[in-house]
Amino acid sequence: MLFDSHAHLNDARFNIDRRYVLNALEKNGVGAVICAGYDIESSEFALKIANENKNVYAVCGLHPDAADDFCEADIDKIRLMLNDKKCVGLGEIGLDYYYETPSREKQLILFEKQLQLAKDTNSKIVIHDRDAHEDCIKLVKKYGVTAGVFHCFSGSSEMAKEVVKLGFYVSFSGVLTFKNARKAVEAAQVVPLDRILIETDCPYLAPVPFRGRRNEPRFVAKVAEKIAEIKGISESEAEKITFENTCELYGLEGIKNA
């Protein structure tokens, strides 16, 4: 079975058929999904979905895009969500320097507050890092947080090595299947098998041959297929290893051994 370690089933693009997608997970070979929040509302919705579906878990947090509207009370709200039995981590949090807004200053403030929260609560973190590799690494080191994952990894192979050395997992999305994904492939080549996760980041980044369509959890099979090709193992091995890695990261021993 497959484990989609990062999905946004809380996104409005699933409003029409969310129940169908959730009900079809197992039939489509997906044993479990992590539904990721990115602001207060989406984090609350991720928890609702997780609590209504035994094979879905949530991570709750404030994406860098939320930095403009951030207030201190939001940290307290996320702290409460972390106490929910179906919430397995703090995320997605991080930095995104691709666009000029929100400002880097505001993003840094929000990221640091959430890293402190992760440290205070001993939470696993899910890091969104887009064109901000140096600052993400620097701040993770500063706060001493070593349990989590760099999701939808877009860094170099050298950065991948450093991330693993710090204790993090590295998650690859459908980008790995793109024709121009040389950097992602090189990163996957150097990440040890016991540190690799796979994800869809749906509804975004549908893998080949589904590019242009709404992404969904069942398409994570194409990412596993590419990992198998890169690592020279069978697809079933890639599925088993990445499933167990996700369980190991989030402490989901019950489903790993089921």
Side-chain angles (χ1 to χ4, degrees):
M1 298 291 278
L2 295 151
F3 202 138
D4 184 355
S5 71
H6 194 103
H8 296 292
L9 292 170
N10 43 357
D11 188 275
R13 274 163 279 193
F14 287 103
N15 285 353
I16 295 175
D17 62 348
R18 183 176 292 107
R19 176 46 50 199
Y20 174 81
V21 172
L22 286 162
N23 288 343
L25 288 174
E26 190 170 348
K27 181 182 71 175
N28 288 321
V30 181
V33 176
I34 302 291
C35 187
Y38 42 88
D39 56 19
I40 296 299
E41 183 179 2
S42 64
S43 292
E44 291 174 340
F45 194 15
L47 270 181
K48 182 177 186 294
I49 293 170
N51 277 295
E52 292 175 351
N53 297 273
K54 68 177 182 178
N55 54 348
V56 179
Y57 300 84
V59 292
C60 300
L62 304 170
H63 185 283
D65 283 352
D68 276 340
D69 300 319
F70 166 71
C71 64
E72 290 290 339
D74 292 339
I75 295 296
D76 293 329
K77 291 176 182 177
I78 296 295
R79 187 188 299 270
L80 285 174
M81 292 182 210
L82 294 174
N83 291 326
D84 191 289
K85 66 182 188 305
K86 290 300 290 287
C87 182
V88 295
L90 173 58
E92 62 184 280
I93 67 175
L95 300 169
D96 192 321
Y97 292 168
Y98 185 77
Y99 297 110
E100 294 181 4
T101 57
S103 69
R104 294 189 182 190
E105 181 183 9
K106 288 182 178 179
Q107 289 188 45
L108 287 164
I109 290 170
L110 178 57
F111 188 32
E112 290 201 62
K113 286 186 177 294
Q114 292 186 97
L115 286 172
Q116 184 62 55
L117 177 60
K119 189 172 182 179
D120 292 344
T121 58
N122 195 31
S123 296
K124 313 294 173 56
I125 61 174
V126 179
I127 295 181
H128 172 102
D129 165 26
R130 191 179 189 192
D131 293 348
H133 310 319
E134 184 177 344
D135 281 352
C136 281
I137 291 288
K138 181 176 70 176
L139 289 173
V140 163
K141 288 180 177 179
K142 175 182 175 180
Y143 285 87
V145 180
T146 59
V149 56
F150 276 70
H151 107 89
C152 196
F153 190 76
S154 60
S156 66
S157 59
E158 289 305 312
M159 182 189 172
K161 291 176 184 177
E162 186 169 9
V163 164
V164 170
K165 189 175 180 180
L166 287 172
F168 283 83
Y169 288 78
V170 180
S171 182
F172 294 95
S173 68
V175 171
L176 195 64
T177 69
F178 297 175
K179 288 182 179 179
N180 61 348
R182 179 184 55 82
K183 189 165 73 167
V185 170
E186 289 175 351
Q189 287 171 338
V190 303
V191 177
L193 268 172
D194 65 356
R195 286 283 150 173
I196 291 179
L197 306 187
I198 56 175
E199 63 173 276
T200 56
D201 200 19
C202 65
Y204 315 104
L205 304 175
V208 174
F210 305 111
R211 289 195 72 176
R213 293 177 55 176
R214 181 193 71 178
N215 202 2
E216 54 188 78
R218 64 191 176 98
F219 295 160
V220 78
K222 292 299 179 182
V223 187
E225 182 181 311
K226 188 65 178 181
I227 290 292
E229 175 190 320
I230 292 168
K231 292 297 190 180
I233 59 177
S234 68
E235 290 177 35
S236 61
E237 286 178 293
E239 292 181 15
K240 180 176 185 292
I241 290 167
T242 54
F243 192 102
E244 291 182 347
N245 289 347
T246 313
C247 291
E248 187 71 27
L249 169 61
Y250 291 115
L252 300 172
E253 294 300 312
I255 67 168
K256 186 172 80 170
N257 296 321

